[in-house]
Each structure stands twice: as structure tokens, then as C-alpha cells.
């Protein structure tokens, strides 16, 4: 294998793999396996149920508890329909920026983590450095659970997890959780002139969506909790971004479909929100079935992601602050795989190169300055593991 001795060289290779979530990431995983093996580091796969994707984990250093996990994902969002001015699968430098799909979210961090593993393999580590690369982060952050739980049984227990989503190398200690339902409202068709004898799926859907509006207003009016107050907005939000249904303007709609999304703050229970929407759907279903028994509202769970809560005296926060010098209080409203580690007992922070505003955009980029800052962070981490 060619010797990839810089993070930029590794990033160039990672970008060349079009590892969109809908496609296989196995070519990228095979290359990572080869790269690590070239530095004497064994790695293991955790295969997807369909066999077309794989997580990867590895460790270098002593076989003892108390190490650090560098966590990244290998999948990226599609480029179709976006107006790119460069080839999204070829890393391109322009004006101090490196352009390519995933450069920011989050193959830049992956490249830094791989280089750190290689460099750490030649150093006298007192604590191990572990690598966790996942698939399907961009479609819900659920697949990583298999990776986390496999690592828990296969490797010494790490003490800190650093999830490298783009934060401009600031230390993020909390993020909102996510919950979604695919909603199917089943109506009963009649001519619109006979409205009382039919059930309009669209009009019933509007009642459930208005219920979401009411919850948003109530949440906004409530005094934020201590855990919620750093967020913007500082409360749980409910959202419907797309809706479809109906046959004609003069027929009560037989079907209506939409996705209801919750972004809930730490300290609130996703189970409570699930029970709330299920209760409202049951209430509306009972009203609808008074007119026709075949009507109702079906709720099919979509993604479910725990919130990441700031930890009191958290080991990962202490480590990341020492390595970055950042003492600010930072939280984000988007979700990460970090909460899947935290809910399984790992001390976790989010800290990585690049600006989240670049994620998923055409001409996505990572600045050379951020790549250099990330590389210096990794070098300090290795020094810390040797101390």
C-alpha cells in the first residue's frame, strides 16, 4: 500500500470513495483495513444485516481499560441535484479550503483519526487509543449501536469518547435527541358535498399537526430547564416538513401521509413524547371511527436518538478542554452518535474540525487551518496517552 503519511493524503483517498448512505461502504472499509494493517494495527468489522456495509473498530496500545475512542462515520449524504463547481469525489484545494463530499462531515476527522492511530502505534502508550468507524449515521444514528456494543465486549473499556462531528474544534457537551413517526391517516371517501358522512384524511391530519403547533407554543412559553437553557431554541420542537394526500378537490381524502419529527432537549424523555403523540392519535382515531370503522391513524416509528447530556465532571470533557484550551459552554441542536455511546456508560463529547454549516452543502469544504488544528489536537492526545 502507498504510504499515506499526512492527514490530507488520507482525506484525499477517503473522499474518493462515494460512500453515500444508500450504497455500500465496503471499498472504503477495505482500504482502511489495509492502511491500519500497514502500521501493524489489526481491525475488525461489524457487518450490516444485509452484508453490504460494515462498521470497523481497532485498537493500538496496551490491553488495559481507560483508553480513548475516536468515533467517526464513513457515510455521506448524496450529491444528486446539487450545484457543485468541483468533482465531489475528488479532493480539490482552492483558497485555503479542501472541497469534496464529506470533507467536513466527517471524513476530515476520519483522516485525522487514522493518522493518529498510525502515529500512536509507534509511541509508548500508557493507555490505548481506539477507533470506531460506523455506517448509516446520516440516516438516523441507529446502526452504530451494534458497533458500540460489540466494542464493549471485544476491547478493554475506554474511559473517554471523542466524536468528531464538525464543531470548529470546540468542545460540545450536549445535543438534542430525535424522534420521528411516519404518520398514515386513513380516511373514508365521499363527495365533498356530503362531508359529514365521510372522513377527510387531510383534515384529520391537520388536527394532529395543529396539536404539534400547540405543543411548540407551550414549550416555547415554558421556562427552560437548566439542561435546556443553553440550546437555541431552548425547548423541544415538533415539526412536519412534507405532507401528501388526497385524490381531488371534491372528494374527502382517503389517505394522508407525513413525518412528524421531535427534537427534544436533554432531561426530557422520548418515551413521554411517544406516549403523547400516540394518545392524540388514538383520540382522533376514536372520533374518525364513529363515522366509519375503517378509518384511523397509523404511527410507524422512524429514527429514535437519545439526547447527549452535559456530564458533571465528565472525563471526556476534561480531556477535550485540556487538549483544545476551549472552556466555553457549547451545545448543538443536531444529533450525533455520541449519545449512543453515552447511554451505554461512556463519557462522551463532540469535537471535530470544520463548520457544521458546510455539512450536506454543495461545494462542502474543510479549511486547511481546521485540518491543521485537528492534527495538532491528535498529536497532543497521543502525548497525553503516553504520559
Amino acid at each position: 500500500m502507498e504510504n499515506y503519511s499526512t492527514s490530507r493524503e488520507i482525506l484525499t483517498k477517503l473522499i474518493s470513495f462515494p460512500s453515500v448512505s444508500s450504497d455500500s461502504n465496503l471499498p472504503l472499509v477495505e482500504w482502511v483495513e489495509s492502511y491500519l494493517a500497514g502500521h501493524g494495527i489489526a481491525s475488525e468489522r461489524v457487518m450490516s444485516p444485509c452484508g453490504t456495509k460494515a462498521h470497523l473498530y481497532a485498537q493500538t496500545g496496551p490491553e488495559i481499560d481507560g483508553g480513548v475512542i475516536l468515533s467517526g462515520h464513513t457515510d455521506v449524504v448524496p450529491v444528486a441535484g446539487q450545484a457543485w463547481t468541483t468533482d465531489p469525489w475528488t479532493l480539490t484545494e482552492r483558497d485555503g479550503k479542501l472541497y469534496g463530499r464529506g470533507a467536513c462531515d466527517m471524513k476530515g476527522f476520519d483522516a485525522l483519526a487514522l493518522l493518529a492511530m498510525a502515529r500512536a502505534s509507534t509511541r509508548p502508550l500508557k493507555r490505548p487509543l481506539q477507533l470506531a468507524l460506523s455506517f448509516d449515521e446520516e440516516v438516523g444514528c441507529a446502526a452504530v449501536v451494534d458497533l458500540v456494543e460489540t466494542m464493549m465486549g471485544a476491547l478493554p473499556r475506554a474511559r473517554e469518547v471523542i466524536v468528531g462531528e464538525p464543531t470548529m474544534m470546540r468542545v460540545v457537551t450536549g445535543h438534542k435527541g430525535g424522534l420521528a413517526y411516519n404518520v398514515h391517516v386513513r380516511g373514508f371517501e365521499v363527495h365533498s358535498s356530503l362531508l359529514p358522512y365521510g372522513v377527510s384524511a387531510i383534515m384529520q391530519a391537520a388536527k394532529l399537526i395543529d396539536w404539534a403547533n400547540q405543543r411548540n407554543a407551550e414549550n416555547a412559553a415554558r421556562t427552560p430547564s437548566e439542561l435546556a437553557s443553553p440550546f437555541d431554541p431552548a425547548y423541544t420542537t415538533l415539526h412536519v416538513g412534507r405532507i401528501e394526500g388526497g385524490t381531488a378537490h371534491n372528494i374527502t381524502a382517503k389517505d394522508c401521509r407525513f413525518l412528524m419529527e421531535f427534537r427534544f432537549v436533554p432531561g426530557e424523555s422520548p418515551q413521554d413524547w411517544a406516549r403523547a403523540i400516540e394518545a392524540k392519535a388514538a383520540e382522533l382515531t376514536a372520533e374518525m371511527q364513529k363515522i366509519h370503522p375503517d378509518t384511523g391513524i397509523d404511527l410507524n416509528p422512524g429514527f429514535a436518538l437519545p439526547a447527549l447530556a452535559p456530564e458533571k465532571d465528565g472525563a471526556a470533557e476534561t480531556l477535550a478542554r485540556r487538549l483544545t484550551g476551549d472552556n466555553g459552554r457549547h451545545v448543538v441542536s443536531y444529533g450525533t452518535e455520541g449519545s449512543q455511546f453515552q447511554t451505554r456508560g461512556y463519557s462522551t463529547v463532540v469535537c471535530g474540525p470544520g463548520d457544521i454549516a458546510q455539512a450536506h452543502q454543495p461545494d462542502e469544504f474543510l479549511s486547511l487551518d481546521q485540518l491543521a488544528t485537528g492534527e495538532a489536537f491528535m498529536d497532543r492526545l497521543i502525548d497525553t496517552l503516553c504520559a
Side-chain angles (χ1 to χ4, degrees):
M1 162 174 265
E2 183 179 346
N3 182 27
Y4 289 81
S5 59
T6 69
S7 56
R8 177 171 174 168
E9 290 171 343
I10 298 171
L11 178 57
T12 298
K13 187 65 178 180
L14 295 179
I15 292 293
S16 71
F17 295 103
S19 52
V20 176
S21 304
S22 58
D23 301 325
S24 175
N25 73 335
L26 292 183
L28 183 153
V29 168
E30 290 169 1
W31 183 86
V32 170
E33 289 171 331
S34 179
Y35 173 82
L36 292 172
H39 293 277
I41 302 170
S43 59
E44 298 289 341
R45 296 184 185 188
V46 180
M47 297 301 299
S48 66
C50 65
T52 63
K53 301 179 184 180
H55 306 296
L56 179 143
Y57 66 92
Q59 174 179 298
T60 187
E63 289 286 325
I64 60 173
D65 291 347
V68 175
I69 296 175
L70 300 175
S71 168
H73 62 81
T74 62
D75 60 317
V76 296
V77 297
V79 300
Q82 293 187 331
W84 283 74
T85 61
T86 64
D87 179 356
W89 311 116
T90 300
L91 193 69
T92 304
E93 180 182 348
R94 189 173 67 219
D95 300 326
K97 300 172 183 175
L98 299 172
Y99 291 85
R101 172 55 86 221
C104 173
D105 183 19
M106 60 181 295
K107 290 180 177 179
F109 178 84
D110 294 346
L112 293 169
L114 287 167
L115 182 61
M117 291 289 290
R119 289 179 174 176
S121 69
T122 67
R123 298 286 300 279
L125 300 183
K126 302 295 191 296
R127 294 199 284 147
L129 183 63
Q130 298 175 357
L131 176 70
L133 297 180
S134 70
F135 64 82
D136 281 3
E137 188 274 347
E138 297 291 4
V139 291
C141 298
V144 73
V145 171
D146 287 343
L147 174 60
V148 177
E149 294 183 348
T150 299
M151 292 178 70
M152 290 171 64
L155 296 179
R157 178 79 178 193
R159 187 168 72 187
E160 300 103 346
V161 177
I162 299 170
V163 178
E165 293 284 359
T167 68
M168 295 296 287
M169 296 307 298
R170 291 189 290 264
V171 180
V172 168
T173 59
H175 65 63
K176 290 187 177 183
L179 183 68
Y181 281 93
N182 292 294
V183 183
H184 178 201
V185 183
R186 294 176 286 108
F188 177 65
E189 289 181 312
V190 298
H191 193 279
S192 59
S193 64
L194 300 173
L195 179 64
Y197 307 105
V199 177
S200 168
I202 290 175
M203 296 179 75
Q204 294 298 323
K207 293 180 181 180
L208 188 56
I209 294 170
D210 190 53
W211 172 84
N213 290 330
Q214 294 171 29
R215 301 292 80 73
N216 284 332
E218 292 172 1
N219 292 345
R222 189 178 298 123
T223 300
S225 68
E226 182 179 353
L227 285 175
S229 60
F231 288 88
D232 182 17
Y235 54 88
T236 295
T237 57
L238 288 68
H239 175 251
V240 174
R242 186 171 179 272
I243 188 169
E244 60 180 14
T247 303
H249 76 279
N250 58 353
I251 300 174
T252 56
K254 182 178 180 181
D255 295 287
C256 184
R257 291 179 171 86
F258 59 92
L259 187 139
M260 179 82 77
E261 173 193 84
F262 299 75
R263 297 286 179 173
F264 58 89
V265 293
E268 293 190 6
S269 165
Q271 291 80 17
D272 287 346
W273 281 110
R275 283 190 287 268
I277 188 174
E278 289 165 3
K280 186 62 180 179
E283 174 191 321
L284 293 173
T285 293
E287 294 177 3
M288 296 162 66
Q289 291 183 346
K290 290 178 181 178
I291 301 173
H292 197 282
D294 293 336
T295 61
I297 299 178
D298 301 323
L299 299 176
N300 299 304
F303 67 85
L305 178 69
L308 181 73
E311 304 166 7
K312 183 178 181 181
D313 301 321
E317 179 182 351
T318 300
L319 172 64
R321 292 196 187 285
R322 185 164 70 246
L323 296 176
T324 62
D326 174 27
N327 291 313
R329 188 182 188 190
H330 309 294
V331 298
V332 293
S333 291
Y334 59 83
T336 79
E337 293 175 333
S339 59
Q340 301 286 22
F341 283 94
Q342 188 183 64
T343 57
R344 287 159 182 82
Y346 289 98
S347 179
T348 306
V349 294
V350 183
C351 183
D355 188 338
I356 192 63
Q358 292 302 316
H360 305 182
Q361 299 299 308
D363 286 350
E364 176 184 349
F365 70 81
L366 177 68
S367 73
L368 289 170
D369 286 346
Q370 278 290 293
L371 189 65
T373 300
E375 194 163 324
F377 172 94
M378 293 297 183
D379 288 342
R380 290 192 291 271
L381 172 61
I382 295 169
D383 290 341
T384 297
L385 295 176
C386 291

